[in-house]
Amino acid sequence: MIILLPTAVLSLVWVAASSNIDLVNPLIGNTGPEPNFAGGMIPSVAPPFGMTRWVAQTHQNYVSRLPYNYSDSEIIHGFVGTHQPAIWMGESGMVGVVPGLSSSTDGKVKARFEERGLRKRVGSEKFGVSLYEVELETDGGGNIDVAMTATSRVGHFRFTFKTDAAWHPYILLQSSRPSELFHSTPTASHFNISYPDGWTSIFPEQNRICGYNSEMQDWVIAPVSSMQDVENKQRDGRGHGGFKGWFCAIFDREFDGYGVTQGSEQRDRALEGLGEEVGAFARFEYPSDQEELVVDVRIAVSFISMEQALVNLEEEVPQGTPLETTEQITRAAWEEKLDRIEVEGGKLEDRRVLMTSAFHALQYPYEQHEYGKYYSAYDDEVHDGESYNGYSIWDTYRAEWGFLLLFAPERIPGMIQSMLQDYKEGGWLPMWKNIVETNIMIATHADSLITEAVLKGFEGGFDVDLAWEAVWKDATVPPEKDWEVKYEDREEGVDYEVRAGLSSSYADPKKGWVDDDIHSESVSRTLGYAYDDHALSLLSAHLNKSPSVTSLLHERSMRAPWLVWNSDATSVDDYVNEEDKIRFNGMTKGFVQGRNVDGSWADPTSGFTEGDKWAYSFDIVHDIPGLIEKRGGKEAFVQSLNEHYDGGWDWFGNEPSHHIPYLYTMAGRPDLTQHRVREIARANYNDTPQGLSGNEDCGQMSAWYIFGALGFYPVNPVSKEFVIGSPFFDKLTLHLPSPEPDASPFYDAQRQAYTLTVEKQGDPEAIYVKSVAVNGEEVDLYGGNPIIRWEDIYHGGNIVFEMSNTPVFAVSDDTAGIVHEEL
Ligand SMILES: *[C@@H]1O[C@H](CO)[C@@H](O)[C@H](O)[C@H]1NC(C)=O
Ligand SMILES: *[C@@H]1O[C@H](CO)[C@@H](O)[C@H](O)[C@H]1NC(C)=O
């Protein structure tokens, strides 16, 4: 034992120094010139998939604004446990923790956001995945030092007051606050302040403060039928009915005074408060023999009850747990995930972007269950089971879900079961679930998530019959009032949007497009529904459903995209400047375009979701050969991709652009994919707070980077195929978890994981690929089958890219003459 000790110490030091956690920069993607050009990521502490994320508060948060903005963070207004999943979504059930000082003359507690801010000491702020630290300057001349960590349902703080004894330290727990609600109409959008109810109760004998608020900003866009149960119960127009974000905070010191605040009023020695802008505070005394006062606070949250918050507290951070222990538990949870990645070579900055991408991608969807139970806002009841929240499915079906299937398979059954519970409790699978369904974005891509999971072997993990029932409803049952309601983005007072326009699309079986003069986003919907039908045709075949069902879905999926394809449309009128008009000269022919009820073409700019005719014309991922043909063959198709990029039509920060660079490879020009993917990675990702060019969207931006780094991308997520790109690092290894022993030659029994390695040979600076071998067998990269299969990687594997400094193309290729100007 004694002999082993130095080795143990040494190895500890070595592990700490080499941990991937140190490569994570939680500030990446926090800010940007405006919300649409920012990642909108909150630099929070929480474990992977954690229910509540804790962050220093610089702003009151709401749709379009985060609780922390690094560009504007000199003043810290306390700390929040947040459930805001993304910048364009609302907050639900937040809780605020605010340290402060009263002067001994007036005893004032500063509760309001505007008055309670403290300046952070320059250089004192430290961000980590499991620990945040800052020193706050006070009027009293001293500091309040803060250390913050968190488990999934418990925030753990240490406040060290180092101030003049004339000042009296307190900690305020904010239950309810003024809350901005975002209302959007086709012509304008505006904010309207609301005042959700809150409640607080102080238990001085137990050193405890509990409370709740009913804040749920996105209730304004919840489907009307999902609100009915809630309305029957107790909706009061100020919050979402029965929903409550509960909390219980326990302090490790006796209170030396306490009270309740309401707005700017203060009631010392009051034990309870109810209503708008409610808070409760506890005061503390400096130990007589010391110059510092240290207060440890553990704050549990619950969506179920105060009692449940106390259960969560004892489960995760039992009494007496030092902050260091809590921090180590969360750190270990991240290490368990991030140390499954080994990266060699590349720039340090790029390795940091990669590891932070994994850190982002492993936060969503997040836990909403609390030890065997969960609160459902769909029926306003507590149920048994596991539940998840933060489903941005229109974004995440592309690559984020594929990453989770590979890298966090243990979570998949629970995440799908959660979607099926939403179906049982609300009648539909989620589109964008932020506690409630929000109808944000379009199409029923839960169909894709479920299909991809079943085809990739997760069938046993959830109720597949129920899943089929739910997806079949998506494909066949239109929403309420489908002929009247436009289902605009964020339209209020409407029901579940699901496949809006399904009624009119198939009113005549020969039709199949969503009418632009009835519905918003008609082209994007038509294409999205076609893709979902494609996914379901594969699922139907896999589950041995009736052949007529499979062929109906297949037929719809292959026909609908071409109904909105206008072969005569060109790009010539898209350019404002004459020079570009002449330069491209209507080069690209054939674009998607909306159609009206009578079959006529709609305005070419109408009918798109976060994109335009350019991006969406490439968004027919299940029929790329058909698309290449419509664009006039491979050469014309490659030209059209060049025009897409060189003509300035790509907006990579929006998801419909994500797969586009890989289409070059599918048209016989892998060299151009290799070039573009590297260019896109450089232009849209970096190791700074401005390091994401577009919204993270619950992991999708980051999942793109991870697949980019691996050198392959899921262009059609349900195909089980990945299109080959150009790997970023000399060697990237993923240890894919699998607790069951396996005969795969790539199974690592010690790690209980499959080993997947991607290696580059040749000049590490080279971006072009000469050849690719998967498990020793060469891939037909330049001969028309540039694919890596799920079967090649999910039980581990070895992929070797031989790199080249110059572009490579097949001699016989009819597109070989096309060069991209900037090459
Ligand atoms: C953060 O603050 C900066 C500076 O005020 C502002 O430009 C930006 O829009 C804010 N929000 C985000 C998400 O970047
Ligand atoms: C703002 O909210 C109040 C209720 O809180 C409501 O009476 C008023 O109509 C709302 N105003 C707008 C413009 O939505």
Side-chain angles (χ1 to χ4, degrees):
M1 280 314 229
I2 290 164
I3 295 167
L4 279 176
L5 191 59
T7 324
V9 168
L10 271 179
S11 80
L12 254 182
V13 169
W14 182 81
V15 169
S18 73
S19 171
N20 284 329
I21 281 184
D22 302 324
L23 290 172
V24 174
N25 175 3
L27 282 172
I28 290 181
N30 171 245
T31 183
E34 54 137 300
N36 278 327
F37 296 96
M41 281 304 288
I42 298 171
S44 54
V45 289
F49 311 106
M51 172 165 164
T52 304
R53 297 187 291 156
W54 292 88
V55 65
Q57 188 181 20
T58 61
H59 296 81
Q60 294 280 39
N61 59 323
Y62 45 82
V63 172
S64 79
R65 197 188 263 184
L66 303 174
Y68 185 94
N69 182 340
Y70 186 74
S71 307
D72 188 8
S73 65
E74 292 73 31
I75 309 291
I76 306 282
H77 299 251
F79 303 86
V80 275
T82 178
H83 303 106
Q84 183 179 19
I87 188 162
W88 286 105
M89 303 306 285
E91 176 68 278
S92 313
M94 51 68 67
V95 51
V97 188
V98 187
L101 300 173
S102 296
S103 83
S104 40
T105 46
D106 65 6
K108 171 122 178 69
V109 169
K110 292 174 185 160
R112 285 207 140 144
F113 181 85
E114 300 73 28
E115 60 189 8
R116 72 191 187 208
L118 297 173
R119 189 164 291 278
K120 70 184 181 194
R121 196 170 288 285
V122 175
S124 70
E125 205 175 27
K126 294 196 190 85
F127 292 88
V129 300
S130 52
L131 184 66
Y132 167 90
E133 291 174 289
V134 72
E135 294 170 24
L136 303 175
E137 296 173 359
T138 70
D139 297 343
N143 271 9
I144 304 174
D145 296 354
V146 185
M148 172 174 79
T149 183
T151 56
S152 185
R153 300 160 192 85
V154 182
H156 196 167
F157 289 81
R158 181 165 55 216
F159 296 104
T160 305
F161 295 86
K162 301 174 181 169
T163 56
D164 193 297
W167 294 83
H168 202 172
Y170 64 79
I171 294 168
L172 171 85
L173 272 296
Q174 183 186 28
S175 289
S176 54
R177 61 170 189 171
S179 178
E180 297 276 2
L181 300 181
F182 181 66
H183 298 276
S184 169
T185 66
T187 46
S189 53
H190 68 274
F191 290 95
N192 193 3
I193 197 115
S194 71
Y195 293 89
D197 273 335
W199 172 79
T200 190
S201 186
I202 305 171
F203 305 85
E205 312 287 274
Q206 280 98 27
N207 305 336
R208 188 208 304 168
I209 294 176
C210 298
Y212 72 70
N213 64 66
S214 60
E215 179 173 359
M216 184 199 271
Q217 293 171 338
D218 281 350
W219 72 265
V220 299
I221 44 174
V224 286
S225 69
S226 76
M227 303 291 290
Q228 274 160 12
D229 287 333
V230 170
E231 277 174 60
N232 293 340
K233 287 186 182 169
Q234 61 187 113
R235 182 172 160 204
D236 58 5
R238 292 191 291 186
H240 184 83
F243 172 81
K244 287 185 182 63
W246 294 89
F247 70 86
C248 272
I250 300 191
F251 302 80
D252 73 337
R253 279 188 177 269
E254 277 179 30
F255 297 173
D256 176 42
Y258 52 84
V260 167
T261 60
Q262 186 139 27
S264 41
E265 270 175 49
Q266 178 178 336
R267 287 184 284 136
D268 275 80
R269 303 204 69 77
L271 286 170
E272 205 171 333
L274 180 70
E276 299 170 359
E277 289 191 76
V278 165
F281 61 88
R283 298 188 195 277
F284 302 93
E285 202 176 25
Y286 271 85
S288 54
D289 52 342
Q290 283 162 40
E291 287 173 6
E292 284 186 2
L293 165 70
V294 181
V295 185
D296 175 283
V297 198
R298 297 168 294 138
I299 308 159
V301 295
S302 170
F303 293 155
I304 295 175
S305 65
M306 180 168 90
E307 293 69 31
Q308 186 64 42
L310 290 170
V311 170
N312 297 345
L313 187 62
E314 284 312 306
E315 287 281 351
E316 295 182 10
V317 190
Q319 183 166 6
T321 308
L323 184 121
E324 284 69 18
T325 304
T326 310
E327 194 268 327
Q328 273 158 22
I329 290 168
T330 295
R331 187 180 170 89
W334 277 113
E335 271 167 354
E336 192 280 318
K337 285 273 168 279
L338 299 182
D339 288 349
R340 290 181 178 279
I341 304 174
E342 286 174 59
V343 55
E344 291 171 31
K347 292 202 209 93
L348 175 63
E349 166 179 351
D350 296 341
R351 292 197 299 275
R352 291 172 65 86
V353 170
L354 175 74
M355 221 48 79
T356 307
S357 295
F359 169 65
H360 287 175
L362 295 166
Q363 296 184 22
Y364 309 99
Y366 59 79
E367 295 167 350
Q368 196 186 315
H369 47 275
E370 305 172 41
Y371 298 95
K373 291 190 273 190
Y374 66 92
Y375 168 78
S376 167
Y378 289 79
D379 63 0
D380 201 29
E381 300 282 351
V382 174
H383 300 267
D384 289 340
E386 277 185 28
S387 180
Y388 285 84
N389 186 50
Y391 285 78
S392 186
I393 299 178
W394 180 85
D395 301 288
T396 58
Y397 83 94
R398 298 161 201 268
E400 161 73 359
W401 188 243
F403 174 65
L404 295 180
L405 290 166
L406 198 60
F407 203 71
E410 74 285 359
R411 294 279 175 166
I412 301 298
M415 287 173 178
I416 295 184
Q417 199 57 46
S418 170
M419 291 160 58
L420 298 179
Q421 286 157 190
D422 299 343
Y423 167 71
K424 282 199 287 190
E425 292 150 20
W428 293 97
L429 290 167
M431 291 172 73
W432 212 131
K433 178 189 185 185
N434 185 19
I435 314 282
V436 282
E437 177 53 52
T438 63
N439 281 346
I440 299 250
M441 309 315 287
I442 54 150
T444 55
H445 295 318
D447 305 345
S448 177
L449 263 51
I450 288 171
T451 300
E452 189 179 353
V454 169
L455 297 181
K456 290 184 174 175
F458 290 85
E459 211 165 324
F462 52 90
D463 183 343
V464 177
D465 292 333
L466 185 64
W468 174 259
E469 181 188 309
V471 297
W472 182 243
K473 185 176 177 185
D474 280 345
T476 54
V477 179
E480 292 294 313
K481 300 190 185 155
D482 193 23
W483 287 88
E484 296 136 59
V485 179
K486 215 166 153 55
Y487 285 103
E488 290 279 3
D489 187 27
R490 294 177 191 268
E491 185 164 348
E492 296 178 17
V494 301
D495 212 348
Y496 284 92
E497 174 175 315
V498 288
R499 294 208 198 176
L502 192 64
S503 331
S504 56
S505 299
Y506 290 105
D508 171 353
K510 288 194 295 294
K511 258 186 81 187
W513 68 85
V514 174
D515 299 307
D516 193 71
D517 44 358
I518 301 184
H519 291 291
S520 69
E521 305 158 89
S522 66
V523 184
S524 301
R525 286 184 198 278
T526 303
L527 299 175
Y529 303 170
Y531 167 75
D532 290 337
D533 280 342
H534 161 71
L536 295 184
S537 72
L538 302 182
L539 183 62
S540 172
H542 180 87
L543 297 177
N544 284 317
K545 298 291 164 188
S546 133
S548 64
V549 165
T550 305
S551 65
L552 168 89
L553 291 162
H554 176 72
E555 193 265 341
R556 283 196 338 197
S557 77
M558 296 305 280
R559 205 165 62 89
W562 311 118
L563 297 172
V564 291
W565 185 266
N566 182 353
S567 310
D568 297 329
T570 75
S571 59
V572 75
D573 294 326
D574 296 348
Y575 296 97
V576 274
N577 105 24
E578 279 305 313
E579 206 180 296
D580 285 336
K581 212 171 247 188
I582 293 161
R583 181 169 161 222
F584 294 105
N585 193 23
M587 193 161 88
T588 297
K589 290 197 180 59
F591 283 94
V592 288
Q593 188 168 343
R595 291 180 76 176
N596 298 317
V597 182
D598 64 5
S600 59
W601 293 114
D603 185 286
T605 61
S606 175
F608 299 103
T609 306
E610 287 194 5
D612 57 15
K613 73 179 209 188
W614 280 92
Y616 275 95
S617 292
F618 293 115
D619 203 16
I620 306 170
V621 297
H622 59 287
D623 191 10
I624 298 300
L627 177 60
I628 292 172
E629 199 189 302
K630 292 276 179 193
R631 276 267 161 97
K634 284 185 183 176
E635 183 177 339
F637 181 73
V638 168
Q639 294 278 20
S640 74
L641 283 164
N642 279 348
E643 187 179 356
H644 174 75
Y645 287 105
D646 300 335
W649 298 111
D650 196 58
W651 183 358
F652 182 79
N654 280 333
E655 277 67 15
S657 282
H658 282 191
H659 69 286
I660 296 176
Y662 290 92
L663 299 183
Y664 282 111
T665 295
M666 297 178 80
R669 288 302 298 272
D671 58 307
L672 296 177
T673 291
Q674 293 150 20
H675 168 81
R676 292 289 183 195
V677 165
R678 295 307 199 85
E679 187 178 65
I680 290 168
R682 246 196 331 274
N684 294 277
Y685 299 82
N686 67 55
D687 179 25
T688 73
Q690 294 79 20
L692 288 173
S693 68
N695 297 165
E696 176 62 79
D697 291 323
C698 294
Q700 172 58 28
M701 274 293 274
S702 285
W704 185 93
Y705 191 90
I706 296 167
F707 279 113
L710 284 166
F712 49 86
Y713 187 85
V715 168
N716 173 358
V718 292
S719 66
K720 298 172 78 182
E721 292 179 346
F722 302 88
V723 176
I724 291 174
S726 169
F728 299 170
F729 299 95
D730 299 1
K731 186 172 178 187
L732 187 53
T733 305
L734 300 186
H735 300 279
L736 308 172
S738 168
E740 300 294 321
D742 192 276
S744 158
F746 303 103
Y747 190 72
D748 173 346
Q750 205 184 341
R751 273 185 175 266
Q752 300 198 319
Y754 303 110
T755 311
L756 172 66
T757 45
V758 174
E759 274 177 82
K760 285 201 295 196
Q761 284 177 357
D763 182 356
E765 301 294 316
I767 64 165
Y768 295 107
V769 177
K770 198 178 284 172
S771 66
V772 185
V774 176
N775 303 334
E777 255 178 68
E778 187 148 337
V779 176
D780 195 10
L781 177 58
Y782 294 91
N785 196 23
I787 296 297
I788 290 174
R789 285 173 195 79
W790 168 254
E791 286 75 14
D792 298 329
I793 60 169
Y794 86 110
H795 274 187
N798 177 241
I799 304 176
V800 180
F801 284 79
E802 202 186 326
M803 305 304 288
S804 160
N805 289 304
T806 51
V808 179
F809 26 72
V811 180
S812 64
D813 198 303
D814 55 3
T815 66
I818 304 170
V819 285
H820 155 50
E821 291 173 28
E822 286 147 35
L823 285 178

